[in-house]
Amino acid sequence: MQLDKYAILGYPLAHSKSPLIHNHAFRQLDISAQYEKLEIVPREFEEQIPIIKDQNWAGFNVTNPFKQRIIPFLDRLSEEAHKIGAVNTIRVSKEGKWIGFNTDYYGFIQPLRQRAEEFNSILILGAGGAARSVLLACLQELTPKKLVVANRTVKKAEHLLDAFHEVIRPGLMTVASSPESIPVQEYDLIVNCTSVGMGESISKVPLNPAGLGSSKCLVYDLIYNPPATLFLEKAQAEGYQVLNGLPMLVYQARKAFEIWTGRGFEVSEMMHFLRSTNHSCCVSGDLKA
Ligand code: NAP
């Protein structure tokens, strides 16, 4: 029986949960496939991709720092990937064409779908790759009246809003700023798309949540390791609803799995599996995760 081979391309990949998720789903659904890590040293990326193209792969995930650098090597892009300007999933067609998708968009919005109309005022912290998917999803799937992008490097927040001007509907108030200069006001949704709260900055917060937002405010941190960042801990202590990045990780993986195999895995079963391997989800009571 043919074994379809998939991999994640990135650097470093030691902490990637994607092999755990996809290999579990292949086993559960009795699909003859295997998922590996392909760590590529960034300075060798452009040399390595043509070599990988000559091998027999069925698909890939792409993570930092290659989500944009992979684009020149692709034969086609999905509409979302084109608009976002970043790719995290590749399907290799029967003809050997590499088609790029962005499933972070889908993964981010999925836990919010049932509450889409509640978010009138949105604050996005960060202006890197993840913020691009989050911004497009907020613009296309939610109906805010005000949307603020705040980033340490304000120029990047300005560029991000400029890049999406075609999808910003008339009347929507958009602001680019630095986190420190954000006035205390009503936000219904605050999304941390910075890497502050993990790794070297595990003891930092991207913004002090004290006094920000209404009590109904949802504080959504894309980080899933640690399960509760200091930002989420503080936000929860302030009485806000919180959500970490684990459901997003699982939903984006599910979408990628569907793109490759035409089948979907059960999200609740996958969350259960991840919990059994010590990956917990930090979520307030009424949120679907
Ligand atoms: P990225 O492109 O490298 O962007 C990093 C962002 O964090 C930039 O806005 C950067 O600001 C900001 N930042 C970094 N260090 C900072 C510091 N010390 N103080 C203030 N701001 C700082 O990374 P990314 O791909 O967007 O990923 C961002 C986060 O999202 C990561 O934690 C990643 O794990 C998470 N993520 C989660 C999922 C999921 O499925 N749950 C998916 C994708 C990403 P500057 O522009 O000023 O440098």
Side-chain angles (χ1 to χ4, degrees):
M1 201 199 308
Q2 192 198 323
L3 182 78
D4 287 332
K5 282 173 58 191
Y6 297 87
I8 179 162
L9 310 175
Y11 187 90
L13 289 175
H15 299 291
S16 173
K17 305 291 168 240
S18 297
L20 190 67
I21 294 175
H22 289 292
N23 284 324
H24 177 71
F26 289 139
R27 275 194 305 274
Q28 288 291 103
L29 295 173
D30 212 9
I31 293 174
S32 170
Q34 180 183 309
Y35 188 106
E36 301 169 17
K37 290 180 189 175
L38 274 186
E39 207 169 57
I40 305 174
V41 178
R43 67 171 184 284
E44 293 174 1
F45 184 73
E46 278 71 20
E47 283 161 49
Q48 287 299 318
I49 294 299
I51 297 170
I52 294 169
K53 277 202 158 185
D54 278 343
Q55 301 164 354
N56 199 17
W57 294 95
F60 302 92
N61 280 132
V62 185
T63 188
N64 283 346
F66 305 132
K67 286 182 180 180
Q68 287 169 301
R69 274 170 77 180
I70 192 69
I71 291 178
F73 295 95
L74 302 178
D75 297 290
R76 236 173 46 227
L77 287 181
S78 72
E79 195 184 327
E80 269 86 36
H82 176 71
K83 282 185 186 164
I84 293 164
V87 162
N88 78 330
T89 300
I90 298 169
R91 181 161 61 81
V92 181
S93 73
K94 285 198 186 82
E95 300 74 38
K97 302 278 184 217
W98 282 30
I99 304 154
F101 300 83
N102 190 307
T103 69
D104 284 338
Y105 171 100
Y106 176 85
F108 162 75
I109 206 68
Q110 209 55 21
L112 305 180
R113 283 214 187 272
Q114 286 177 356
R115 306 176 48 179
E117 282 158 24
E118 291 175 31
F119 306 117
N120 289 316
S121 186
I122 301 176
L123 170 60
I124 296 175
L125 300 168
R132 297 181 77 86
S133 307
V134 167
L135 177 58
L136 186 69
C138 288
L139 291 170
Q140 293 195 157
E141 310 286 340
L142 306 178
T143 50
K145 296 186 178 62
K146 179 177 176 182
L147 195 149
V148 178
V149 177
N151 192 45
R152 174 178 63 176
T153 315
V154 182
K155 269 257 165 294
K156 279 205 207 165
E158 288 167 357
H159 284 153
L160 188 55
L161 283 173
D162 280 352
F164 287 90
H165 72 274
E166 281 179 13
V167 268
I168 296 176
R169 66 183 152 69
L172 171 65
M173 183 185 172
T174 58
V175 181
S177 86
S178 70
E180 302 80 52
S181 59
I182 294 173
V184 175
Q185 54 189 284
E186 299 271 304
Y187 288 101
D188 308 304
L189 176 62
I190 300 175
V191 189
N192 178 32
C193 305
T194 76
S195 42
V196 177
M198 62 183 282
E200 284 171 5
S201 57
I202 195 161
S203 56
K204 294 189 178 152
V205 287
L207 183 83
N208 183 356
L212 256 178
S214 70
S215 57
K216 281 202 207 140
C217 175
L218 169 61
V219 178
Y220 188 167
D221 198 326
L222 302 197
I223 295 172
Y224 52 87
N225 188 13
T229 55
L230 186 60
F231 186 46
L232 285 195
E233 277 178 9
K234 283 184 175 234
Q236 204 160 25
E238 288 289 320
Y240 303 130
Q241 300 172 63
V242 296
L243 178 62
N244 79 354
L246 194 65
M248 172 175 172
L249 178 77
V250 172
Y251 278 115
Q252 68 74 29
R254 187 187 192 277
K255 188 72 177 173
F257 194 88
E258 222 176 274
I259 288 167
W260 298 327
T261 67
R263 297 172 68 182
F265 57 74
E266 199 54 59
V267 168
S268 53
E269 195 282 328
M270 188 62 75
M271 295 295 285
H272 180 74
F273 167 69
L274 290 173
R275 274 185 207 113
S276 75
T277 58
N278 272 341
H279 296 89
S280 50
C281 177
C282 176
V283 60
S284 303
D286 66 333
L287 284 160
K288 198 170 177 301

